[in-house]
């Protein structure tokens, strides 16, 4: 694990070690403390060495393990979907806070990726009818697998929001964590994100970074039911611009929320 020290802080390397130990050998940290002889077993085998090699190539541990935690649930992930982020979990929790648990609401997640948002919502809102769309069929395969494994019904479908002018159904909540990182912001990102996560889910043109917000905002004007809500994850540097865009479309009670890191990260707006 020495080769990793120039890439990751020690605490992170330790957590990689224990995650791999559990995934590959079903052993936990406590097992090693209780049975020190296990340390000499032959488990640093090929599987372990391969995982180390992938870590050296800055492959995120979630892709190596094939899973990621989100809102207390375990989601299957691969390189066709973004790894669910803690800030996106906060967005999902904000939606839950804004709704009555037993309300029979219709929800649509646009650009669903692993399906972490709609599946989390479907788990908690038992009366809701939940949908998720994505332009990537490969992402949808993962999302469908996750819904099945986690035992919820979410209707996933393939759809490109940028090339459409209307949605067929109406919803009480529309939510999206669209691509919002400008290409010019790329240098500030870590190698594990840049080398392995899907660009399709991350980046937008500097010339028009709000393209998804404008488009989804417009779709919402007809697809949101009265008093329906729009939720977005946003680029921390573009909160004002997203607010203004929604304001111009006459959305109401627009509010921006910070994430756990203190950055402007999400927005909620009501349709009239
Ligand atoms: N928050 C993600 C990141 O910083 C970006 C997610 C997105 O573009 N929707 O890597």
């Amino acid at each position: 694990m020495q080769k990793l020290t120039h890439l990751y802080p020690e605490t992170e390397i330790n957590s990689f070690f224990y995650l791999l130990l559990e995934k590959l050998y079903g052993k936990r940290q406590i097992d090693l403390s209780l049975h020190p002889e296990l340390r000499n077993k032959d488990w640093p085998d090929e599987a372990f060495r391969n995982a180390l090699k992938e870590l050296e190539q800055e492959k995120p541990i979630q892709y190596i393990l094939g899973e990621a935690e989100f809102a207390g649930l375990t989601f299957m992930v691969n390189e066709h979907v973004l790894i669910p982020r803690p800030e996106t979990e906060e967005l999902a929790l904000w939606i839950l806070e804004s709704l009555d648990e037993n309300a029979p609401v219709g929800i649509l997640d646009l650009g669903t990726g692993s399906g972490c948002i709609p599946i989390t919502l479907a788990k908690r809102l038992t009366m809701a009818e939940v949908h998720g769309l994505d332009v990537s069929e490969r992402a949808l395969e993962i999302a469908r697998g996750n819904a099945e494994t986690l035992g919820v019904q979410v209707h996933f479908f393939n759809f490109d929001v940028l090339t459409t002018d209307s949605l067929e159904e109406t919803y009480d909540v529309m939510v999206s964590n669209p691509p919002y990182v400008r290409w010019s912001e790329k240098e500030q990102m870590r190698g594990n994100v840049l080398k392995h996560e899907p660009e399709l889910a991350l980046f937008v043109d500097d010339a028009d970074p709000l393209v998804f917000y404008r488009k989804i905002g417009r779709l919402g004007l007809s697809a949101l039911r009265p008093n329906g809500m729009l939720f977005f994850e946003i680029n921390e540097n573009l909160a004002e611009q997203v607010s203004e865009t929604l304001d111009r479309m006459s959305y109401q009670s627009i509010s921006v929320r910070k994430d756990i890191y203190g950055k402007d990260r999400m927005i909620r707006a009501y349709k009239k």
Side-chain angles (χ1 to χ4, degrees):
M1 312 216 56
Q2 308 302 351
K3 288 195 196 149
L4 297 176
T5 48
H6 68 283
L7 291 171
Y8 304 98
E10 184 149 346
T11 47
E12 213 169 329
I13 297 174
N14 279 334
S15 85
F16 294 159
F17 174 75
Y18 291 113
L19 285 166
L20 288 172
L21 190 70
E22 180 156 7
K23 177 80 179 178
L24 297 175
Y25 314 107
K27 297 270 181 287
R28 288 169 307 148
Q29 189 165 0
I30 182 110
D31 298 323
L32 282 196
S33 324
L34 295 175
H35 304 282
E37 75 279 6
L38 277 177
R39 287 184 185 273
N40 306 320
K41 283 257 187 255
D42 52 2
W43 49 255
D45 61 6
E46 203 183 335
F48 193 86
R49 282 194 298 274
N50 285 342
L52 280 191
K53 242 179 257 159
E54 293 184 301
L55 284 172
E56 282 162 25
Q57 291 155 3
E58 296 188 76
K59 187 163 179 171
I61 188 75
Q62 294 89 340
Y63 288 150
I64 298 174
L65 300 170
E67 58 190 40
E69 296 294 311
F70 183 87
L73 302 169
T74 303
F75 287 82
M76 171 174 57
V77 293
N78 67 14
E79 298 196 20
H80 297 296
V81 301
L82 210 63
I83 296 165
R85 310 277 205 267
E87 50 271 38
T88 309
E89 190 174 307
E90 293 184 80
L91 177 69
L93 297 180
W94 193 9
I95 299 173
L96 289 172
E97 245 174 63
S98 309
L99 289 169
D100 175 356
E101 209 176 305
N102 299 309
V105 286
I107 300 174
L108 173 66
D109 178 33
L110 301 98
T112 199
S114 64
C116 60
I117 297 176
I119 291 170
T120 300
L121 298 177
K123 262 278 193 238
R124 306 272 190 98
L125 305 166
T126 45
M127 303 301 284
E129 203 181 288
V130 187
H131 308 256
L133 64 81
D134 206 286
V135 68
S136 159
E137 192 52 60
R138 290 189 150 145
L140 289 169
E141 271 170 38
I142 295 288
R144 290 193 181 106
N146 279 324
E148 196 178 328
T149 311
L150 292 165
V152 291
Q153 264 214 317
V154 175
H155 175 232
F156 287 109
F157 57 105
N158 189 276
F159 200 82
D160 181 357
V161 290
L162 293 182
T163 58
T164 186
D165 288 323
S166 64
L167 294 166
E168 275 173 25
E169 290 186 38
T170 60
Y171 306 93
D172 299 287
V173 172
M174 285 168 60
V175 51
S176 185
N177 172 20
Y180 60 65
V181 180
R182 289 171 287 187
W183 287 104
S184 62
E185 292 167 320
K186 196 174 160 180
E187 295 95 76
Q188 299 154 28
M189 296 170 79
R190 286 178 60 171
N192 53 357
V193 176
L194 288 180
K195 287 190 206 158
H196 298 277
E197 294 204 83
E199 288 190 345
L200 180 69
L202 286 170
F203 294 109
V204 280
D205 245 323
D206 279 70
D208 191 10
L210 301 189
V211 57
F212 287 96
Y213 298 89
R214 235 180 16 252
K215 189 76 203 199
I216 293 169
R218 260 194 228 124
L219 289 172
L221 292 178
S222 51
L224 277 171
R225 296 170 190 159
N227 298 316
M229 288 176 269
L230 194 56
F231 285 88
F232 281 123
E233 187 172 314
I234 56 171
N235 182 320
E236 74 221 54
N237 302 310
L238 298 173
E240 215 167 293
Q241 288 90 320
V242 178
S243 293
E244 279 165 12
T245 302
L246 296 177
D247 183 56
R248 257 182 266 123
M249 291 180 183
S250 40
Y251 279 95
Q252 308 285 309
S253 314
I254 300 168
S255 46
V256 172
R257 239 194 213 194
K258 291 188 192 304
D259 63 18
I260 25 162
Y261 311 110
K263 300 193 165 153
D264 287 338
R265 185 60 68 204
M266 51 210 116
I267 198 159
R268 181 181 68 188
Y270 284 81
K271 193 186 156 186
K272 263 196 278 194

